[in-house]
């Protein structure tokens, strides 16, 4: 048998990397499995609410987390986790290229972007339809774009795009925005922005690239790009497959100690059902530290009994 880890952490966003830092400092033999570094916040052009940094890009902030993960000696492998199996006293974690054994697991696999699921969305993905204003915004300099959604992610996308685009439409399905006060306030500065409340998209239309969107009330709006920012869905499939409890939105159910219904298996960050209306890097980081602490306590209690 190969090495047995004390903890395997799945994911390298704020939750996973904080769990890794704490676990390694507890002296736990730790492995972080991930496909990339930083998770969703790595695509944020600017983060202004992480204490210690007045203003920093999401990617830079996550690189700082990662430097610390390496500094404390957590092992990192860039592999896709494909399955988890629970044995009597440990877990086996299968990836696209290997297999590992661990006493505990922390799932910090975050969320994937929610799709609008209207005709044209898939067809024009990468041809005007985008899910990342930071990544693709520069292609729409002096163009007309629409942002779909009314939460903080949509507001951030609008704030970024309004700086360079000719015109920005923001399509919000309710009659008000649901973002943070400081983010909403910034929208007042943009003269090239139209916020269309009570408006939903029914179709994205074009030839080679996006040309128009049709709204549910039948209006046609000429646009060159559509940025979809309508929230996320937890990456909880592997957990559900081994009998883990998820809520009606698919999020992993945890208690205050980040314990799931499966002993030895913990979860942290956006993949969980903890404060679903307050997804913040600082909250995820805190959850990661708690999960590592709980994993450490779990192992120590178990070894004490044996
Ligand atoms: P949210 O869930 O907060 O908002 C999603 C928005 O998309 C809502 O306005 C929602 O409308 C709308 N929406 C959902 N589905 C559809 C649909 N099918 N068609 C049209 N509109 C739809 O997601 P976010 O990604 O904006 O944010 C997620 C979390 O991350 C939040 O907690 C947020 O505060 C946080 N965040 C914080 C940032 C910050 O700067 N501090 C930056 C980015 C995110 P409805 O209300 O009607 O459901």
């Amino acid at each position: 048998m190969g090495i047995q880890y004390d903890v395997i952490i799945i994911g390298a966003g704020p939750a996973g990397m904080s769990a890794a830092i704490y676990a390694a400092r507890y002296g736990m033999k730790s492995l972080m499995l991930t496909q990339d570094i930083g998770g969703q916040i790595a695509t944020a052009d600017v983060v202004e609410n992480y204490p210690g940094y007045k203003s920093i890009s999401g990617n830079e902030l996550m690189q700082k987390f990662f430097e610390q993960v390496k500094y404390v000696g957590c092992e990192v492998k860039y592999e896709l986790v494909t399955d988890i199996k629970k044995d009597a006293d440990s877990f086996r974690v299968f990836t696209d290229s290997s297999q590992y054994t661990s006493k505990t697991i922390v799932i910090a696999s975050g969320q994937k972007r929610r799709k609008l699921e209207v005709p044209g969305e898939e067809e024009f993905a990468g041809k005007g339809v985008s899910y990342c204003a930071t990544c693709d915004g520069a292609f729409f300099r002096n163009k007309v774009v629409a942002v779909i959604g009314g939460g903080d992610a949509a507001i951030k996308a609008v704030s970024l795009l309004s700086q360079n685009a000719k015109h920005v439409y923001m399509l919000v399905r309710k009659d008000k925005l649901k973002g943070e006060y400081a983010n909403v306030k910034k929208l007042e500065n943009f003269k090239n922005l139209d916020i269309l409340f009570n408006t939903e998209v029914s179709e994205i239309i074009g030839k080679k690239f996006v040309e128009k969107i049709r709204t549910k009330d039948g209006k046609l709006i000429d646009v060159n790009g559509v940025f979809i920012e309508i929230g996320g869905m937890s990456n909880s499939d592997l957990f559900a497959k081994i009998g883990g409890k998820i809520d009606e939105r698919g999020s992993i159910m945890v208690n205050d100690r980040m314990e799931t219904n499966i002993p030895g298996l913990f979860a942290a960050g956006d993949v969980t059902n903890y404060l679903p209306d307050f997804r913040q890097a600082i909250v995820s980081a805190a959850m990661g530290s708690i999960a590592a602490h709980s994993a450490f306590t779990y192992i120590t209690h178990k070894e004490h009994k044996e």
Side-chain angles (χ1 to χ4, degrees):
M1 211 178 78
I3 314 167
Q4 186 178 57
Y5 289 96
D6 290 320
V7 62
I8 289 183
I9 297 148
I10 303 172
M17 290 204 276
S18 300
I21 293 165
Y22 272 74
R25 284 175 49 83
Y26 279 127
M28 297 169 83
K29 180 141 192 63
S30 319
L31 169 66
M32 193 167 76
L33 295 170
T34 188
Q35 286 190 285
D36 53 28
I37 297 300
Q40 290 199 99
I41 197 169
T43 64
D45 66 317
V46 58
V47 176
E48 294 182 332
N49 55 8
Y50 200 88
Y53 301 96
K54 284 199 278 295
S55 183
I56 187 168
S57 79
N59 186 43
E60 215 184 322
L61 180 63
M62 288 301 99
Q63 288 307 323
K64 289 184 183 292
F65 273 51
F66 189 47
E67 275 167 33
Q68 201 167 345
V69 167
K70 289 187 291 186
Y71 176 76
V72 296
C74 176
E75 212 179 314
V76 181
K77 289 184 190 284
Y78 295 91
E79 294 172 21
L80 172 71
V81 177
T82 54
D83 210 358
I84 301 171
K85 292 253 188 294
K86 180 159 174 46
D87 298 325
D89 266 330
S90 59
F91 295 89
R92 272 173 297 150
V93 176
F94 298 83
T95 70
D96 47 2
S97 56
S98 200
Q99 180 185 329
Y100 306 95
T101 312
S102 182
K103 293 179 190 166
T104 65
I105 293 187
V106 174
I107 300 183
S109 48
Q111 294 201 324
K112 52 182 169 286
R113 310 300 299 276
R114 181 175 286 128
K115 297 274 167 73
L116 205 48
E117 287 169 10
V118 297
E121 180 180 20
E122 245 185 84
E123 184 185 348
F124 294 108
K127 297 171 187 158
V129 170
S130 168
Y131 301 86
C132 178
T134 313
C135 324
D136 300 329
F139 300 123
F140 296 88
R141 184 174 284 275
N142 298 323
K143 301 263 168 77
V144 179
V145 296
V147 175
I148 319 299
D152 281 314
I155 295 170
K156 291 282 241 185
V158 166
S159 302
L160 183 68
L161 293 164
S162 295
Q163 292 169 29
N164 290 317
K166 186 159 90 187
H167 198 84
V168 179
Y169 294 100
M170 183 177 194
L171 276 63
V172 183
R173 72 176 173 184
K174 288 219 172 93
D175 59 0
K176 55 179 180 297
L177 296 171
K178 63 183 263 195
E180 274 174 35
Y181 172 78
N183 287 340
V184 173
K185 193 86 186 131
K186 278 191 185 165
L187 297 184
E188 288 170 8
N189 302 333
F190 300 114
K191 306 280 173 267
N192 57 345
L193 169 66
D194 267 329
I195 306 182
L196 311 176
F197 290 104
N198 304 307
T199 306
E200 284 187 71
V201 177
S202 63
E203 191 182 357
I204 299 170
I205 304 164
K207 291 188 189 82
K208 270 191 173 164
F209 291 93
V210 168
E211 291 176 6
K212 292 175 200 300
I213 45 181
R214 194 191 305 278
T215 64
K216 280 197 177 160
D217 51 8
K219 242 186 265 145
L220 281 172
I221 307 173
D222 290 334
V223 292
N224 306 106
V226 183
F227 288 81
I228 299 170
E229 292 285 1
I230 58 171
M233 283 162 15
S234 296
N235 291 316
S236 59
D237 298 359
L238 294 177
F239 177 73
K241 216 173 122 190
I242 56 164
K245 263 197 197 156
I246 53 173
D247 71 2
E248 66 291 345
R249 305 188 206 198
S251 301
I252 296 180
M253 294 174 74
V254 290
N255 62 16
D256 287 351
R257 296 191 164 269
M258 304 304 134
E259 293 163 330
T260 69
N261 63 308
I262 300 178
L265 202 159
F266 306 86
D270 288 0
V271 74
T272 73
N273 67 334
Y274 186 72
L275 294 183
D277 57 345
F278 194 57
R279 303 281 188 208
Q280 304 287 318
I282 190 167
V283 176
S284 290
M287 292 166 82
S289 72
I290 297 168
H293 176 258
S294 294
F296 177 68
T297 312
Y298 173 84
I299 294 175
T300 346
H301 279 184
K302 235 175 144 204
E303 284 171 358
H304 211 67
K305 276 191 205 155
E306 283 166 5

